[in-house]
Structures are given as C-alpha cells and as structure tokens.
Amino acid sequence: MMVKLNDKAYDHAKRLIEKGQVVLDDRDAWSEHQPSTADENAYLEKHGFEAYGRWYLGVDDEHGEETKGRYKFPYGDFEKVHRCGVLSAEVRAGQQKYTDIELAAAHLHGLLDSMRSEEP
C-alpha cells in the first residue's frame, strides 16, 4: 500500500481553518464526531469523489480514483475541520510511518491549537 499526502485535502483544511470552520474538540471525541457510512455515502452521492477526497489527508494509489478505499485519514465532518479528527490522523499516520501525512496533520493541529488558545 502506497499512501501519500493528499495536497488538495491539506490545502482545503487550511482554508477551512482560516475561515474559522472548525470544531475545537478533544481527541476522544472523534469516535462520536466522525461521519458515519451513511453520511459518507450521502455526501458522495451529492458531491462526487473529487469533493469527497478533499476531506481525507491520505490517498492510497493502490485503489481506484472513484473508490472510498482510496481515501485515508479523515479530518472533518464534510462541513468543518474537527480538531479530534486531525489529532487522530496525526497519531495514526505516525504509527504507520506516513511522515508526510503526520507532518501535515501536525501543522493543522498547531493551527487549531493556536485558535483554541485565543478562545476567551
């Protein structure tokens, strides 16, 4: 399996963070906040694979372009970047030795934490 950083998703996440489209939650919340299979399928049906892929920091080139299996390391709920999703992606990428994805997620994590520290 060859998983690499999805630059389009990374750029999309940075733009969403700049716009404040974020949920500044804790890592443990991802199991409750990540999209369900039904949510994924509904988003795919409405927006297609190109838009779907922007929500995943990793791309597995062993899977076809129009398959859900191609996309790894989700970071949001198809509307907002979730800090818990970014943290989960960062940890899992590190465990699996996907350094480019781990570093991208770490950068997003830093952006989110700087927003969190600015909260009253």
Side-chain angles (χ1 to χ4, degrees), residues 1-112:
M1 173 168 38
M2 183 60 186
V3 180
K4 61 184 179 182
L5 178 63
N6 181 350
D7 290 315
K8 289 179 183 178
Y10 179 53
D11 291 340
H12 181 63
K14 288 187 292 186
R15 282 191 303 275
L16 290 171
I17 291 169
E18 287 171 10
K19 292 178 184 177
Q21 292 180 249
V22 300
V23 177
L24 299 174
D25 47 15
D26 293 317
R27 182 171 183 248
D28 297 342
W30 188 234
S31 61
E32 295 173 20
H33 292 183
Q34 70 185 29
S36 67
T37 301
D39 294 336
E40 290 176 345
N41 292 339
Y43 188 86
L44 260 174
E45 188 174 314
K46 186 173 183 179
H47 301 283
F49 276 97
E50 186 174 335
Y52 177 83
R54 287 193 300 254
W55 290 95
Y56 294 82
L57 290 175
V59 175
D60 182 346
D61 64 5
E62 289 188 359
H63 292 271
E65 287 186 26
E66 295 201 357
T67 63
K68 286 170 63 175
R70 181 175 180 84
Y71 301 101
K72 312 289 185 194
F73 304 104
Y75 65 82
D77 63 4
F78 303 120
E79 291 182 16
K80 295 182 179 184
V81 175
H82 281 251
R83 182 177 177 273
C84 61
V86 170
L87 292 171
S88 179
E90 181 180 0
V91 169
R92 288 186 310 114
Q95 290 169 340
Q96 297 174 24
K97 308 285 190 247
Y98 298 125
T99 306
D100 55 345
I101 298 168
E102 179 185 16
L103 292 173
H107 181 249
L108 297 173
H109 176 188
L111 294 173
L112 293 166

